[in-house]
Amino acid sequence: SGAWIRDLVFDWSFFLGSTFLVFLITSLFAAKGGDANLLRIEGAASTLDLVIPVLLGGPHIFFSLVRTYMDVDFKREHRQLLRITPHVVAFGMMYLAFHSFFQAAANIVLYSAVFHGSAQLAHIGLRYRIKSGREAWDLGGRALLVACLVGPLYFLTRAVASREAFLFIGQPVFKALAPGWFVWTTGVVAGLAAAYWLAETVNHRLAGGRTNWREGAILLATQLAFWFLTTIDDLDVSFQAYNAWHSVQAFGIMWFAMNAKWRGGKVRGPRQSRFCRDGAFRYTYLWALGFSLAIGAMVLLFSNFDLVNLPRSPFYFVFAVTVLLNHHALDYWLFFGKRAFDY
């Protein structure tokens, strides 16, 4: 309503206020000297690696599946995409996992997750732009998109380049992915895009046009949060903080879109409708939690319940990572496809 995507409470709960999860989780769980953290609980960071994916990371993927594999319109328009993508991702992960290319697989997960999360933030920012009566894909909107996508990439590559070793799920991040020229290029591109967006927004406002401060808040939150996350040496903790933030935002944007489509009478079929109707958020989340637990149980079962070496289990990548990356690929059509802002 008005300049909000849904309303003040909903937007602050899912889109704007969720950014504080980044600072809260890293403050509590990141090592502050030796192996200590503010919680003073031994193994707290390892627990975080289990709790966030099960309660937030896995369930938010289910919300995405409701909007893709359960959506009659999406399946009709993207039939080949839905058939080909899971096979390409699955066979790719199987090859890497069963040939012990765990470092390559871990790097794919990291960069894909960062780019996917940045795309979601750009989508939310563009929704706020539309709420002010402006076009999503005018030059200012495209500048916002570039700044949201390239800024986080700059902070990540700068962090990789400036450290001797940067470990993610026990695997070093490839320094070859962060050459000096690439770090500088992403920094300059992101800076120019953000500067153009700011200048264009100010000029539009001075000319008497409507603007939406929430659009700028999303851009600012994107840059500050990713800058802060990449200053944390424990990448596993910072990644789970990011995962929590991204997942909560995903709950909000996925639920808003599928519920809006249901309210408009455009959801066809009872299977999807039961997850989209008014008041069904809790019901949908419980199904999503069951989905998450099922994926986790499959990984544990095939890995002989070896929690310590789980990131080196091929089945972690074959099951959990395959589902994750397939969801990443499909969501780009939800974020930027021809119907991205219809609901």
Side-chain angles (χ1 to χ4, degrees):
S1 56
W4 300 101
I5 292 176
R6 184 156 190 163
D7 55 53
L8 184 149
V9 174
F10 188 92
D11 285 29
W12 270 104
S13 298
F14 289 102
F15 306 140
L16 300 172
S18 59
T19 308
F20 293 107
L21 285 172
V22 167
F23 304 99
L24 176 63
I25 292 174
T26 52
S27 296
L28 290 175
F29 289 90
K32 305 298 180 184
D35 295 323
N37 54 62
L38 287 184
L39 294 180
R40 300 189 182 283
I41 299 174
E42 186 176 351
S46 299
T47 303
L48 186 72
D49 289 340
L50 179 64
V51 172
I52 296 297
V54 170
L55 296 183
L56 298 175
H60 96 268
I61 295 175
F62 182 83
F63 277 65
S64 173
L65 296 180
V66 172
R67 291 195 61 204
T68 52
Y69 284 97
M70 292 188 193
D71 189 283
V72 174
D73 296 322
F74 192 92
K75 287 192 293 184
R76 185 186 68 250
E77 295 174 3
H78 304 288
R79 195 176 304 276
Q80 293 303 318
L81 175 71
L82 293 173
R83 288 175 176 171
I84 295 172
T85 303
H87 291 89
V88 171
V89 174
F91 286 122
M93 278 298 109
M94 288 172 66
Y95 177 82
L96 293 175
F98 289 116
H99 288 81
S100 298
F101 294 132
F102 298 117
Q103 186 179 4
N107 276 259
I108 291 171
V109 172
L110 175 63
Y111 278 90
S112 178
V114 169
F115 205 72
H116 170 72
S118 304
Q120 180 174 278
L121 285 157
H123 174 82
I124 294 170
L126 290 172
R127 278 186 178 270
Y128 281 125
R129 186 176 186 83
I130 292 170
K131 281 291 184 175
S132 66
R134 310 195 67 188
E135 293 291 329
W137 301 121
D138 60 11
L139 286 177
R142 293 178 185 181
L144 176 74
L145 173 66
V146 171
C148 284
L149 290 178
V150 181
L153 186 60
Y154 162 69
F155 291 119
L156 175 59
T157 53
R158 189 186 68 167
V160 173
S162 63
R163 288 172 169 84
E164 285 296 323
F166 210 15
L167 299 179
F168 176 59
I169 54 177
Q171 301 295 332
V173 179
F174 289 129
K175 291 184 75 69
L177 295 176
W181 66 266
F182 187 71
V183 175
W184 282 103
T185 299
T186 53
V188 169
V189 169
L192 288 175
Y196 181 88
W197 172 86
L198 180 60
E200 191 266 352
T201 301
V202 170
N203 287 336
H204 182 77
R205 182 68 175 178
L206 292 175
R210 289 177 58 202
T211 57
N212 192 342
W213 65 265
R214 300 154 189 85
E215 179 187 350
I218 289 293
L219 177 58
L220 182 62
T222 301
Q223 309 308 322
L224 287 179
F226 275 98
W227 165 77
F228 177 75
L229 286 169
T230 55
T231 64
I232 307 296
D233 288 331
D234 191 338
L235 185 53
D236 290 337
V237 170
S238 59
F239 183 83
Q240 293 307 335
Y242 156 78
N243 192 8
W245 172 40
H246 166 72
S247 298
V248 170
Q249 282 194 333
F251 286 141
I253 201 62
M254 294 298 174
W255 169 254
F256 168 80
M258 62 203 224
N259 179 243
K261 186 174 183 179
W262 180 86
R263 288 183 174 190
K266 300 296 180 65
V267 171
R268 294 185 287 156
R271 186 171 63 167
Q272 187 185 19
S273 293
R274 61 178 175 169
F275 295 118
C276 303
R277 65 182 186 272
D278 287 342
F281 182 89
R282 182 179 299 178
Y283 173 81
T284 305
Y285 174 76
L286 289 176
W287 268 87
L289 182 60
F291 167 82
S292 180
L293 290 170
I295 296 295
M298 289 177 63
V299 173
L300 289 174
L301 180 63
F302 281 86
S303 303
N304 295 319
F305 297 92
D306 186 2
L307 286 170
V308 176
N309 296 310
L310 201 60
R312 295 189 64 82
S313 167
F315 300 101
Y316 169 77
F317 293 94
V318 170
F319 294 128
V321 171
T322 293
V323 171
L324 175 71
L325 295 181
N326 184 58
H327 140 74
H328 285 178
L330 296 181
D331 276 9
Y332 290 115
W333 273 261
L334 298 180
F335 296 152
F336 307 123
K338 63 180 181 179
R339 302 185 189 278
F341 303 106
D342 286 358
Y343 308 104

